[in-house]
Amino acid sequence: MSTLITNIAELMTQDLEHRVLRDAAVVVEGERISWIGAAADAPPADEAVDAGGRAMLPGWVDSHSHLLFAGDRTAEFEARMAGESYAAGGIAVTMNATRATSDFDLTRLAMGRVAEAVSQGTTYLETKTGYGLDVEHEARSARIASTIADQVTYLGAHLVPAGQDPEEYTDLVCGPMLAAVRPYVQWADVFCEEGAFNAEQSRRVLMACREAGLGLRVHGNQLGEGPGVELAVELGAASVDHVNYLAAQDVKALASSWSGWDPAVGTGERGTVATCLPACDLSTRQPLASARELLDAGVQVALASNCNPGTSYTSSMAFCVTTAVLQMRLSVHEAVRAATYGGALALHKEAGRDTDGERAVGSIAVGHRADLHLLNAPSATHLAYRPGMPLTYAVWRAGVRER
Ligand SMILES: N=CN[C@@H](CCC(=O)O)C(=O)O
Ligand SMILES: [Zn+2]
């Protein structure tokens, strides 16, 4: 079954050549893109969809979310808006609510969040464990996550539960908890921050997880300068996320991690993606991550929602893109790229890395997964020009029309 989507006013491909086509068309065959080009040259297909002069982008790739949770932290948010600072301790509130929720309800809640994200144009997403924090509940979160998300990250090292010895808990994370989640996860992450895990504990967790065959990610430099970025680069993590407080040597380390990468062809030795989480930064009243400086230094940047009940209770990638343009000084093209191709890069799913038989995501090109986002606007610029407007008009995920 093939579908021709024609009359696309602006097709922002986010491919390796950064092409933006005008008066374009796309043909979808099964779950992949089989043709793109000028609408006037489009081949026939089984069915046709008139895009009505709207703009099309790749579906958003949300490379950082925490969707396996129950409960609500409105009171903590209100306190923060009244001047309190964010602290890692709030995670325990969500841990208690999550543990007390049945498998059925936790699955239903997480599925609902995925549906919300997809209805806003997200077509590929990662999510994390991290609100179970014992062997049984981390394994349960990982198992449920593997049924609702495209990729799953083990975040047993999110917080040391009250009353537990930090070193003993770190042993648990590196040992029995890792073994229990291992069948369900591709990545491991650690919250390397004051009040969570120190550099030595973080290193221990990351090395054990790497030994177990997991790719690495780090929550780092969110609440102050710290060792997270340095550790992520040293251990070859795929991404370091938050990056609000960067010393000059952190930017340098991130940039040099990409020195063996050729962005024009998307090959070479990959570095550590800096993932910026602007919705979180606004909700925690942290300085917005310096995405402009990072891009100018040659770092590959992703934008992600960080959807979670504590610091960023939104899955709106459009909001992140809007903020990146209006407040972080990215161009619309750069912001959309960070929220599509950048996320794919952080998840090892970008063009050229189609090693496991699934199609590349985060860009529109022949052979890639047909993850398409049609805006109710003639150009992607409207994402910033009309902030907060519901601009998602249609979504295809792996070739299936979702909306
Ligand atoms: N910073 C660490 N973890 C989450 C927040 C977790 C929470 O407060 O529930 C984040 O990415 O912001
Ligand atoms: Zn997070």
Side-chain angles (χ1 to χ4, degrees):
M1 174 74 180
S2 59
T3 303
L4 167 67
I5 309 168
T6 189
N7 195 13
I8 301 168
E10 176 186 272
L11 181 67
M12 188 176 266
T13 65
Q14 297 297 350
D15 65 2
L16 289 168
E17 296 83 36
H18 299 240
R19 285 183 300 164
V20 180
L21 310 183
R22 312 280 164 198
D23 302 320
V26 172
V27 178
V28 174
E29 228 167 299
E31 70 161 35
R32 72 189 193 100
I33 297 164
S34 61
W35 186 91
I36 71 170
D41 301 334
D46 298 328
E47 63 167 15
V49 173
D50 185 347
R54 295 181 174 86
M56 179 175 275
L57 326 166
W60 305 126
V61 178
D62 191 351
S63 60
H64 184 144
S65 77
H66 306 248
L67 302 182
L68 272 293
F69 68 86
D72 168 285
R73 295 191 6 223
T74 304
E76 178 187 321
F77 176 78
E78 284 173 347
R80 205 155 62 233
M81 293 304 106
E84 291 282 318
S85 309
Y86 171 73
I91 294 167
V93 174
T94 302
M95 178 198 78
N96 289 330
T98 305
R99 285 185 184 174
T101 298
S102 68
D103 285 18
F104 180 83
D105 283 341
L106 194 56
T107 307
R108 184 180 55 76
L109 288 166
M111 281 175 74
R113 293 173 189 131
V114 171
E116 272 181 348
V118 171
S119 74
Q120 301 172 88
T122 296
T123 50
Y124 196 84
L125 65 86
E126 176 266 15
T127 202
K128 303 176 199 299
T129 70
Y131 292 118
L133 305 184
D134 63 18
V135 173
E136 177 196 344
H137 292 97
E138 280 296 298
R140 172 176 83 138
S141 290
R143 175 172 49 76
I144 296 172
S146 71
T147 67
I148 58 117
D150 297 291
Q151 296 199 22
V152 183
T153 300
Y154 167 46
L155 184 57
H158 202 185
L159 184 80
V160 180
Q164 293 202 34
D165 174 73
E167 297 304 323
E168 282 173 17
Y169 182 73
T170 304
D171 290 342
L172 185 73
V173 171
C174 295
M177 195 185 279
L178 170 59
V181 301
R182 183 64 190 90
Y184 309 110
V185 304
Q186 294 79 41
W187 301 97
D189 199 340
V190 55
F191 187 14
C192 178
E193 200 83 42
E194 189 90 35
F197 292 80
N198 67 26
E200 188 276 321
Q201 292 156 348
S202 301
R203 176 187 298 276
R204 217 140 61 76
V205 169
L206 293 169
M207 295 203 23
C209 292
R210 187 166 71 179
E211 184 67 24
L214 298 179
L216 305 182
R217 347 187 58 85
V218 175
H219 279 66
N221 300 54
Q222 177 187 8
L223 305 174
E225 282 185 21
V229 168
E230 218 177 312
L231 192 60
V233 172
E234 181 202 323
L235 297 182
S239 72
V240 56
D241 305 32
H242 287 290
V243 296
N244 300 90
Y245 294 90
L246 296 177
Q249 74 262 22
D250 293 322
V251 178
K252 220 160 139 193
L254 286 165
S256 61
S257 78
W258 289 100
S259 60
W261 175 256
D262 184 347
V265 281
T267 57
E269 202 181 321
R270 29 189 23 275
T272 300
V273 172
T275 303
C276 302
L277 309 167
C280 171
D281 302 344
L282 293 172
S283 176
T284 54
R285 300 231 159 115
Q286 297 294 329
L288 288 159
S290 48
R292 177 75 274 147
E293 186 192 356
L294 289 163
L295 282 175
D296 290 345
V299 179
Q300 295 285 335
V301 168
L303 287 171
S305 74
N306 191 23
C307 182
N308 78 80
T311 64
S312 188
Y313 202 175
T314 176
S315 58
S316 173
M317 293 291 285
F319 179 72
C320 297
V321 165
T322 304
T323 305
V325 175
L326 295 180
Q327 300 196 53
M328 296 161 74
R329 302 188 182 284
L330 267 54
S331 69
V332 171
H333 194 277
E334 287 170 331
V336 171
R337 189 166 188 80
T340 54
Y341 179 82
L345 202 51
L347 295 172
H348 290 193
K349 288 298 296 179
E350 82 285 1
R353 295 247 161 209
D354 185 18
T355 49
D356 60 2
E358 281 188 56
R359 305 290 169 182
V361 300
S363 43
I364 298 175
V366 171
H368 292 195
R369 203 168 94 155
D371 285 355
L372 306 169
H373 184 191
L374 190 64
L375 298 181
N376 196 9
S379 81
T381 300
H382 279 228
L383 289 164
Y385 176 45
R386 306 192 68 213
M389 298 306 287
L391 293 183
T392 296
Y393 185 80
V395 178
W396 286 261
R397 190 180 190 198
V400 175
R401 178 109 182 227
E402 299 275 358
R403 180 193 160 131

